[in-house]
Amino acid sequence: MIAEDQLRELARTEQPSGKRRSAIAVAGAATLGSVLFGYDTGVISGALPYMAMPPTARGLGVDPWQEGFIGGALLIGAAIGALVTGRLADRNGRRHTILVLAVIFLVGSVGSALAPIVEVMYPFRFILGFAVGGASATVPVYLSETAPQRIRGTIVAADQLMIVSGQLLAFLANAGVNHAYGGPQLTVASDPSGTVPPGPHPWDDVAGLQASRGGPLDPATWQSLVDHLVISGGNGSAWRVMLVLCSIPAIALWVAMRRMPESPRWSMANHRYVEAVRSLLRLRDRDDPATGDELGEMLAVQRLAEAQPRASLRDVLRTPWMRRLFGAGVLLSVCNQTTGVNTVMYYAPKVLEYAGLGASAAITAQVSNGIMSVIGAAGGLWLIHRFRRRQVLITCIVLVAACMFALGGLFTWLIQPHLASGTLPPAYAPTLILVVMGFFMLVVQAANGPVVWTMMGEMFPSRVRGAAAGAAVFCGWMTNALITVTFPTLLATLGGGPTYAAYGVLNVVVAIALFKVMPETSGRSLEELEGDLESRYDKALTSSR
């Protein structure tokens, strides 16, 4: 192993591996992956109303279960991507892995947009999800390993801002495409049952005949009606335009990351000392004494790692203190999904339709949730710098539980009675739902997202950071997939009241668990954290015996 004085000499004599890049430039390039993450998870909310239209109207004719699996296929892919990509990033480098993910994003987005039937869409949504999960596991690690310590939390929290900016971009694109197409519409040539008169109709008129929307037809009768409609045209293909737009930021990510350095900490961990120094000199001022100190800290951690065999996820699970730390990481990752955030992100237009809003108006209204998300994420940059991670996250989960109970109450006492009697909910019901959703998104994106994704990149030991973070994120994505697949069916069968009340109870349980096991990571370098967390979890293990 190289000596510290030799490493410092390299810092004095070696040239940077390329043009100087500021922390902002590096974050801007890498977080294009997070923009893609946000766009691909958010775009489906506006695409689903068009996908629900019959194939003869150029939709896909999806039912609630298929709606769930369109979202679920992406999330299962994301879970696998997070797990596999963490290991690839440890083996091949963070920058190289992000470049590969850019290509996968492009393939998945184009393939999904061209899918002729829903069964063909599933594998491409899985491929797209693989890239989303890979970005969720790799980008925060890359940012945490390249950012200066004093702004590491802010830089990694900016990743969350870019995710929600991607979601807002998706909502705006959905609204723009929806406006251009004039909302979901179809032209009925004839209806053997005589229920729908010939001529052009908004899809809302047909969908509103379902009993779950306050109409007279049970699910089987309504589906039979739609199956027997003779349809001469429709604009259901609008969803393809929404999905294919994702290819633009995918190309931008590949181009931008070609200009960025590899993580110097990854190079150091893989004995590429000259490469580590040259990469760091692209990110830091050579004459700043802190640069030499940072190299010394990196080398010290590498020496500790060399004194032990390189650990895998299996070793993490076999080492008591790391197993407890990994368990805390899994809880953090899972709590990022059990908030119910994706019931709003993916299905807000659907929920608003149950509350009495038309599909076209619901797609446009989703933009307000995106705006609140961006405001919240921007505020999160200040919160994570000003307050400690634990107090921010636990406060967030308590407020989230209150929002879930509020949504459940609105459905139980204001919306469901009207649907049960076959009447429309009052005109102000969608507005109240939207207000609660907006506050919910403000809280979640200001606190939950920034804290969880920042900690995923900083809480695990360097020699297993990629694999452990990837495995923890895998658990979060699988939780997300479960919620996404089941939510449309729960909403259609149980109703919004019991469904959202269940999420409220779940968040109360999560808040208690976080209070007991969540570590604190703010205010210390990555190298200091390794020793501090090992000491904490060793003590916790000893005291529990």
Side-chain angles (χ1 to χ4, degrees):
M1 181 176 288
I2 193 171
E4 184 173 344
D5 58 346
Q6 293 176 299
L7 193 64
R8 290 178 179 270
E9 180 63 23
L10 286 175
R12 286 191 292 270
T13 59
E14 286 293 328
Q15 296 300 312
S17 59
K19 290 185 179 180
R20 176 74 182 273
R21 302 297 181 195
S22 68
I24 300 301
V26 173
T31 55
L32 283 171
S34 302
V35 171
L36 285 158
F37 174 168
Y39 190 97
D40 286 318
T41 54
V43 70
I44 202 66
S45 66
L48 283 175
Y50 286 94
M51 290 180 179
M53 296 173 67
T56 47
R58 300 182 183 177
L60 291 178
V62 297
D63 59 29
W65 266 110
Q66 289 172 323
E67 286 181 350
F69 278 106
I70 287 171
L74 183 141
L75 299 172
I76 293 171
I80 302 299
L83 186 65
V84 173
T85 306
R87 296 180 180 180
L88 292 177
D90 280 348
R91 181 185 305 166
N92 300 323
R94 320 305 191 198
R95 172 181 171 272
H96 174 82
T97 301
I98 294 173
L99 285 169
V100 172
L101 291 173
V103 177
I104 298 174
F105 270 120
L106 182 62
V107 172
S109 61
V110 173
S112 296
L114 295 178
I117 57 176
V118 70
E119 287 77 13
V120 174
M121 176 177 282
Y122 292 150
F124 282 106
R125 290 285 290 175
F126 179 89
I127 291 169
L128 197 57
F130 186 95
V132 167
S136 72
T138 307
V139 171
V141 172
Y142 179 76
L143 293 176
S144 68
E145 291 184 345
T146 56
Q149 177 189 338
R150 68 184 183 279
I151 58 171
R152 186 183 71 237
T154 302
I155 288 291
V156 180
D159 177 55
Q160 181 68 20
L161 177 60
M162 297 303 284
I163 292 173
V164 298
S165 296
Q167 290 165 344
L168 176 58
L169 182 64
F171 300 154
L172 288 170
N174 289 347
V177 172
N178 177 70
H179 178 74
Y181 276 75
Q185 298 178 27
L186 75 170
T187 301
V188 177
S190 64
D191 174 14
S193 72
T195 305
V196 182
H201 294 274
W203 174 243
D204 288 339
D205 291 352
V206 179
L209 297 172
Q210 301 173 76
S212 60
R213 304 284 180 88
L217 304 180
D218 61 72
T221 305
W222 181 84
Q223 190 61 55
S224 177
L225 167 72
V226 172
D227 291 342
H228 287 88
L229 285 177
V230 179
I231 298 171
S232 59
N235 62 0
S237 61
W239 65 268
R240 298 185 187 276
V241 180
M242 297 173 180
L243 297 188
V244 80
L245 289 175
C246 174
S247 60
I248 297 173
I251 295 170
L253 173 64
W254 189 87
V255 172
M257 284 305 297
R258 293 276 297 173
R259 302 171 181 270
M260 295 300 126
E262 181 54 85
S263 160
R265 284 179 167 82
W266 177 84
S267 298
M268 182 76 73
N270 286 272
H271 309 286
R272 302 181 182 185
Y273 302 115
V274 173
E275 183 181 317
V277 170
R278 296 184 69 192
S279 293
L280 190 66
L281 291 177
R282 293 185 68 183
L283 304 168
R284 307 285 190 270
D285 185 352
R286 184 199 302 271
D287 298 326
D288 187 347
T291 301
D293 294 340
E294 187 172 358
L295 282 169
E297 287 185 346
M298 290 162 58
L299 184 62
V301 169
Q302 179 63 10
R303 284 173 174 165
L304 289 175
E306 289 294 315
Q308 309 170 27
R310 179 174 286 273
S312 65
L313 182 60
R314 181 179 299 176
D315 297 314
V316 170
L317 298 177
R318 288 176 176 175
T319 306
W321 79 268
M322 278 200 280
R323 184 170 63 244
R324 291 178 67 90
L325 177 62
F326 177 68
V330 169
L331 175 63
L332 284 168
S333 183
V334 167
C335 88
N336 196 38
Q337 310 301 334
T338 55
T339 54
V341 62
N342 293 315
T343 68
V344 176
M345 196 60 62
Y346 305 154
Y347 300 122
K350 186 178 185 68
V351 173
L352 290 169
E353 287 179 53
Y354 277 97
L357 202 62
S360 186
I363 292 172
T364 302
Q366 176 74 319
V367 173
S368 66
N369 284 328
I371 293 172
M372 295 301 287
S373 293
V374 171
I375 293 172
L381 300 180
W382 175 79
L383 281 176
I384 201 166
H385 180 73
R386 176 67 177 80
F387 299 100
R388 299 179 72 81
R389 315 276 201 256
R390 273 177 57 90
Q391 66 187 111
V392 171
L393 184 58
I394 294 173
T395 301
C396 164
I397 299 299
V398 172
L399 291 175
V400 160
C403 290
M404 292 292 104
F405 286 128
L407 287 173
L410 286 173
F411 266 92
T412 299
W413 292 302
L414 185 61
I415 297 171
Q416 293 295 158
H418 287 277
L419 296 180
S421 63
T423 59
L424 287 175
Y428 58 85
T431 301
L432 292 178
I433 294 291
L434 198 58
V435 167
V436 177
M437 283 183 171
F439 178 74
F440 168 83
M441 294 305 297
L442 181 72
V443 170
V444 168
Q445 304 299 1
N448 186 288
V451 170
V452 169
W453 291 115
T454 298
M455 292 187 67
M456 286 296 104
E458 66 186 9
M459 68 185 291
F460 298 111
S462 61
R463 62 189 182 279
V464 294
R465 187 169 292 138
V473 173
F474 167 84
C475 296
W477 281 116
M478 289 304 292
T479 304
N480 191 347
L482 177 64
I483 291 170
T484 301
V485 169
T486 58
F487 181 77
T489 302
L490 290 174
L491 194 63
T493 54
L494 298 180
T499 301
Y500 279 115
Y503 282 116
V505 172
L506 181 59
N507 278 285
V508 171
V509 174
V510 168
I512 295 171
L514 287 172
F515 183 80
K516 290 180 176 294
V517 305
M518 179 181 173
E520 182 58 68
T521 61
S522 58
R524 285 164 287 178
S525 70
L526 296 180
E527 289 72 23
E528 290 172 332
L529 276 174
E530 289 198 27
D532 291 349
L533 291 175
E534 179 175 0
S535 175
R536 168 191 168 134
Y537 283 95
D538 257 345
K539 288 179 181 177
L541 186 66
T542 302
S543 64
S544 65
R545 289 174 177 169

